[in-house]
Structures are given as structure tokens and as C-alpha cells.
Amino acid sequence: MKDTMPTDDPAALIDALATSQAQVEALQAELDETNRGVLALYAELDTQAQQLRQATELKSRFLAYMSHEFRTPISSIRSLTRLLLDRVDGPLTDEQEKQINFIRTTSEEFADMVNDLLDLAKVEAGRIDISPAWFELVDLFAALRGMFKPVLVNPDVQLVFEEPHGISQLFTDDAKLSQILRNYISNALKFTAQGEVRVSAVTAPGADGGEDEITFAVADTGIGIAPEFHDAIFQDFTQIGSPIQKRLRGTGLGLSLSKRLAELLGGRVGLRSEPGVGSVFSVTLPLRLPGAPDAGHDAARAAAPGVATEVPDA
């Protein structure tokens, strides 16, 4: 005996098909409406992004223009104070010399602020040039040592440069690297009342087998920074409230600029700090930026035992 399958009602199948078709059309209409909303949102986001780019460009132009305009009177003030302190027009009383030194110091601080603003404007506008070259690490440390020797006026603080181990040369922009380290050292000296500020450099293999890296660290025995401020310290115009901070002027741009310069050099910044103990600011860079010429420089890198060298107190 042969089995037979029951036959579905054709009318029911047609009704089910019509219902499914209606559901598909309703879903398609909903998708079309959603797509129109997404396209409108993208268009609005593009408009806002364009407006943001224009605002950023205008801000960068304003900062660059005003920075250049400020430089002329600042240079004049600094030149005049040097002439007065050199007694070109005659002797000075003790009070006159004190006031002129105050003007000189203030104008130098103002010049540093203007330079930071100009550099920040260049970075934001993408107009800052990176000029990498091979250079000796010992020469960089010697230049920094000589630069800070005249400003070591606190006999209770020593500035120590450790001789780098395992590396003699690197290929990057030495001027940008020097600017980062100057910001670190300057801040460390400001916020260290006693103890030392120690500058060091160590090498390590790069992550995931990439180019070897070098980490520069500036460690101090200063006031330290609370953990809740660690993320914000590298942001624009950020200054941490403290009794010392109230006595010191600044824009809060130095660390922000250091972070951006480090990123331009293919690196990153870091911070370890504890209130009342001190801070360690670091910058990690590749030993060689992409495109570095070989020219036998690798063979010249020989590890040598180093001895810490100290800068005599001024």
C-alpha cells in the first residue's frame, strides 16, 4: 500500500506568501528610513568635523601670529636688560640691579611661554618638521649639562647625568629630543627642594620584535604627583595645585608639547610618581627612525660600563 502526502491548501499558501511579502516590504521601508537617518548623521558629522578643522586651523594661525608678534618686544626687553646689567650707561645701585634682574627673569619666562605656544601651534597645524640624523648620545648629555649648569642655584639639589650603557649613537631628531628632556629637567628642578635630579638612558628590545628602543628618564626627589593627576598631567594647560606651583608661573604646555613631540618621533611618554617621594618622567623612542641610513653605524655601538657624572652646584 502506497503512502500519500497531504496536499496544502493553495489559498492558505497564497495568504502566507502575501503576509511574508508585506513583512519584507515593511522591513525594507524601515531599513531605508534607517539608512537615510545614518546618511544624514554622517553628513552632520562631516560638517561638524569640517567646522572643527577650521576652528583648529584658525586657533593655530592665531597662536602662530601672536607668538611671532610677541617675540619682538620680548627680545627688546631682554636686550635692554642685558645692556643695563653690563653697566653700559653707568653703575647701578643694589636695588636697581635687583629690579632689572626681576625684569630679565620675567621676560625669559615670557619668552619660554611664547616659544611653547608657537611650537604647539606648529604641531597642531602639522607644520613642524622632523629632521633625523645620527648623533652621539654623549654629546646630547654634554649639551644639556652645560645648559643647566648656570641655573643650578640651589645647593641642596644636584643634577646628575648617568653615562648611557650599551648605546653610543641613535638616529632621530636630536633637537626635538633635547626639547623634551629640557622640559622634563626644568620641571624637575622647579619642584625639587632638596635631593637630586637624575637623567638616564637605557635600551631594550622593541615590542613584538620591532626596532630596539631607548628610554630616557628624568627622576627627581621632589614633591611628587598624586595618582589621580597622572593622566591629566600631559594635557594642554594642566597645572597641579601645590604650594610650590603657586610661586611659579607657566602655561602648563611643556609636558603636553613633550608628549606630542615624542609621538612625532615615533615614541611615547611615561610617568611614575608618588606624593612626597618624587617623580620619574620618561620618553621612549626607537633607536632608529624609519629610513635611517646604515653606513656602518651599528658596528660603532659598543656597550661600555658607565659612571654617573654630576653637575657641580652653581
Side-chain angles (χ1 to χ4, degrees), residues 2 20 24 29 39 114 201 207 220 292 313:
K2 187 178 180 179
S20 298
V24 169
L39 291 175
V114 169
D220 65 58
D313 297 330

Short mmCIF file of all heavy atoms in Angstrom, two decimals, residues 2 20 24 29 39 114 201 207 220 292 313:
data_model
loop_
_atom_site.label_atom_id
_atom_site.label_comp_id
_atom_site.label_asym_id
_atom_site.label_seq_id
_atom_site.Cartn_x
_atom_site.Cartn_y
_atom_site.Cartn_z
N LYS A 2 0.60 2.17 -0.92
CA LYS A 2 1.47 3.34 -1.09
C LYS A 2 0.99 4.52 -0.26
O LYS A 2 -0.19 4.87 -0.28
CB LYS A 2 1.52 3.73 -2.57
CG LYS A 2 2.51 4.81 -2.87
CD LYS A 2 2.53 5.08 -4.35
CE LYS A 2 3.53 6.17 -4.68
NZ LYS A 2 3.59 6.45 -6.13
N SER A 20 4.13 37.38 4.23
CA SER A 20 5.59 37.47 4.27
C SER A 20 6.10 38.61 3.40
O SER A 20 7.02 39.35 3.78
CB SER A 20 6.22 36.14 3.79
OG SER A 20 5.87 35.09 4.66
N VAL A 24 8.32 41.77 4.54
CA VAL A 24 9.58 42.12 3.90
C VAL A 24 9.57 43.57 3.44
O VAL A 24 10.54 44.32 3.61
CB VAL A 24 9.87 41.18 2.72
CG1 VAL A 24 11.05 41.69 1.89
CG2 VAL A 24 10.16 39.77 3.22
N ALA A 29 11.28 49.12 4.11
CA ALA A 29 10.98 50.53 4.32
C ALA A 29 11.66 51.06 5.58
O ALA A 29 12.19 52.18 5.61
CB ALA A 29 9.46 50.73 4.41
N LEU A 39 22.79 58.32 6.89
CA LEU A 39 23.43 59.23 5.94
C LEU A 39 23.34 60.68 6.41
O LEU A 39 24.31 61.45 6.28
CB LEU A 39 22.77 59.08 4.56
CG LEU A 39 23.04 57.75 3.84
CD1 LEU A 39 22.22 57.68 2.56
CD2 LEU A 39 24.52 57.60 3.53
N VAL A 114 55.94 81.89 25.13
CA VAL A 114 55.67 82.19 23.72
C VAL A 114 56.22 81.09 22.82
O VAL A 114 55.57 80.65 21.87
CB VAL A 114 56.27 83.55 23.34
CG1 VAL A 114 56.23 83.76 21.82
CG2 VAL A 114 55.51 84.67 24.04
N ALA A 201 69.57 56.94 30.49
CA ALA A 201 69.10 56.38 29.23
C ALA A 201 69.46 54.90 29.20
O ALA A 201 70.60 54.53 29.46
CB ALA A 201 69.73 57.10 28.04
N ALA A 207 58.87 46.13 21.17
CA ALA A 207 57.73 45.23 21.32
C ALA A 207 57.52 44.44 20.03
O ALA A 207 57.70 44.96 18.93
CB ALA A 207 56.48 46.04 21.66
N ASP A 220 63.37 62.59 39.94
CA ASP A 220 63.64 63.62 40.94
C ASP A 220 63.17 63.16 42.31
O ASP A 220 62.48 62.16 42.45
CB ASP A 220 62.96 64.95 40.56
CG ASP A 220 61.44 64.86 40.54
OD1 ASP A 220 60.84 64.52 41.57
OD2 ASP A 220 60.83 65.13 39.48
N ALA A 292 66.46 55.18 8.38
CA ALA A 292 67.80 55.54 8.85
C ALA A 292 68.86 54.92 7.96
O ALA A 292 68.80 53.72 7.67
CB ALA A 292 67.98 55.08 10.30
N ASP A 313 77.20 72.21 41.66
CA ASP A 313 76.20 73.23 42.01
C ASP A 313 76.73 74.60 41.67
O ASP A 313 77.90 74.90 41.88
CB ASP A 313 75.86 73.16 43.50
CG ASP A 313 75.23 71.83 43.85
OD1 ASP A 313 74.57 71.26 42.97
OD2 ASP A 313 75.43 71.37 45.00
#
